[in-house]
Amino acid sequence: MTTQTYLAYDFPLLSVLWTMLAFALWVLWFFLLFKIIFDIFRDDDLGGWGKAGWLAFVVLLPFLGVFVYLIARGKGMGRRELEQAREQRQQLDAHIRETAAGRPSAADELVKLSAMRDRGDITDADFQRAKELVLTDYAPQASAPPTTPPPGDGRAQG
């Protein structure tokens, strides 16, 4: 009696599963490799020769280099990534504050115009025109009603 042995690749669905698993592990490996390479360049504590040494070690002996790097410097990777995220967040918050503070309010504009009128820099007519401009500039924009084309718009009738 012969016993037939079935392997995973004998079943098409399991073959696809193993292929997908191998591809996912391959993608994860490259993700980890590039994350370590970016961390090498991000680290300010390493000098030029240290960065070159780690980079050569990780590129020339990728499996051993990645595992040694994770053991030796893995804890610092998370710290450096958090610092970079905090710095980017602070820069974004500073940019938002600068942008939001860039435009004065309508009340501030009207106070400036009133002070200019009181000093005699502008006339009452100039003040009224400038006040109308400020108020229309800060007024909420109403959506225009939909327009219908005129009856003779050039399209062929028929």
Side-chain angles (χ1 to χ4, degrees):
M1 285 180 83
T2 59
T3 307
Q4 191 170 5
T5 305
Y6 290 102
L7 299 175
Y9 57 80
D10 290 333
F11 296 98
L13 187 59
L14 288 177
S15 177
V16 170
L17 176 71
W18 286 113
T19 303
M20 288 176 22
L21 181 65
F23 182 73
L25 290 175
W26 183 72
V27 168
L28 286 173
W29 171 253
F30 276 103
F31 177 77
L32 181 62
L33 180 68
F34 284 111
K35 191 162 183 72
I36 287 175
I37 290 173
F38 288 138
D39 186 66
I40 290 171
F41 286 108
R42 181 186 320 153
D43 190 7
D44 292 333
D45 296 337
L46 281 177
W49 287 107
K51 289 180 183 184
W54 274 113
L55 187 64
F57 188 40
V58 167
V59 169
L60 296 177
L61 298 170
F63 290 109
L64 183 63
V66 165
F67 293 134
V68 170
Y69 189 85
L70 286 176
I71 291 169
R73 301 181 51 84
K75 193 174 193 178
M77 281 179 66
R79 181 183 47 80
R80 285 185 290 277
E81 193 163 339
L82 281 174
E83 286 175 3
Q84 183 184 20
R86 281 189 196 120
E87 183 179 320
Q88 287 176 347
R89 179 63 186 204
Q90 289 171 353
Q91 289 174 354
L92 177 67
D93 290 344
H95 175 71
I96 289 172
R97 277 193 296 277
E98 290 172 9
T99 304
R103 183 176 180 193
S105 68
D108 293 337
E109 292 287 333
L110 291 175
V111 167
K112 289 178 187 176
L113 284 172
S114 179
M116 290 172 66
R117 182 186 60 182
D118 292 342
R119 285 191 312 255
D121 295 339
I122 58 174
T123 64
D124 284 338
D126 291 336
F127 173 76
Q128 290 301 325
R129 277 193 308 248
K131 183 172 94 171
E132 288 174 11
L133 285 173
V134 167
L135 292 177
T136 56
D137 186 37
Y138 283 92
Q141 300 294 326
S143 61
T147 59
T148 57
D153 65 349
R155 287 186 277 167
Q157 303 288 329

